[in-house]
Amino acid sequence: MTTTSDSIPPDALRAWERSMRDRSMQAEPRIAAALRETPGAYAVLVLLRATRPYQATQSNDRVKSVRATHEPELEALIGLLARPSWKAVLRLEKACGRSYGLLDHFKDGPSGMTDRVCDALGVELPAARSIESFIRRGGR
């Protein structure tokens, strides 16, 4: 889309967005089939979606998101889907550049997954408080 959203009537823009979302949903089974044919492609896609260049395409500012979709760095990273490799994984990991948002604290804290991930990585945490300790203290 090359025009700015303020030059497009709102009803036309909403209809176009809806058609593009539908198109994306219809493509998903074919994407899944292609990923199944190439070992490692799913892992590369998951990492690709976590990179900063990919996340820039998720902007609510349509002009920025379309521009980000065609950035050379993202073009190079997307190309890694066709040839998944350990080198591709390491390149994507570097493009992620994240040290936050790694876990879903709302779910991973209470389920114990934070502790499992820490154990696997050798990260020491203070002992978790038991549910009983909250019962004894009236929920505090």
Side-chain angles (χ1 to χ4, degrees):
M1 182 166 161
T2 56
T3 60
T4 61
S5 39
D6 41 321
S7 66
I8 301 170
D11 56 333
L13 183 59
R14 280 191 299 277
W16 177 80
E17 288 173 339
R18 191 171 34 256
S19 76
M20 293 302 286
R21 287 185 191 104
D22 290 346
R23 183 172 182 268
S24 180
M25 286 188 279
Q26 291 167 3
E28 196 162 44
R30 286 182 261 164
I31 292 169
L35 293 174
R36 283 191 298 274
E37 291 176 15
T38 307
Y42 176 79
V44 168
L45 177 61
V46 169
L47 282 171
L48 173 65
R49 294 187 68 219
T51 65
R52 288 178 179 164
Y54 187 97
Q55 289 177 352
T57 71
Q58 307 294 300
S59 172
N60 288 329
D61 180 327
R62 182 167 285 56
V63 173
K64 286 182 181 178
S65 67
V66 169
R67 188 177 325 129
T69 299
H70 299 287
E71 286 293 324
E73 182 181 11
L74 184 58
E75 293 283 342
L77 295 175
I78 289 171
L80 299 174
L81 278 169
R83 53 190 189 288
S85 65
W86 185 244
K87 188 176 180 179
V89 167
L90 294 177
R91 183 167 175 194
L92 287 163
E93 182 180 274
K94 185 176 180 181
C96 288
R98 298 183 84 178
S99 58
Y100 60 91
L102 302 173
L103 300 175
D104 180 342
H105 307 300
F106 186 78
K107 295 178 183 172
D108 294 336
S111 74
M113 280 308 299
T114 297
D115 291 276
R116 299 289 311 272
V117 169
C118 286
D119 287 345
L121 294 172
V123 173
E124 292 189 31
L125 288 178
R129 288 180 58 190
S130 68
I131 292 174
E132 292 77 17
S133 72
F134 286 89
I135 295 170
R136 287 191 300 273
R137 297 184 70 179
R140 293 173 287 166

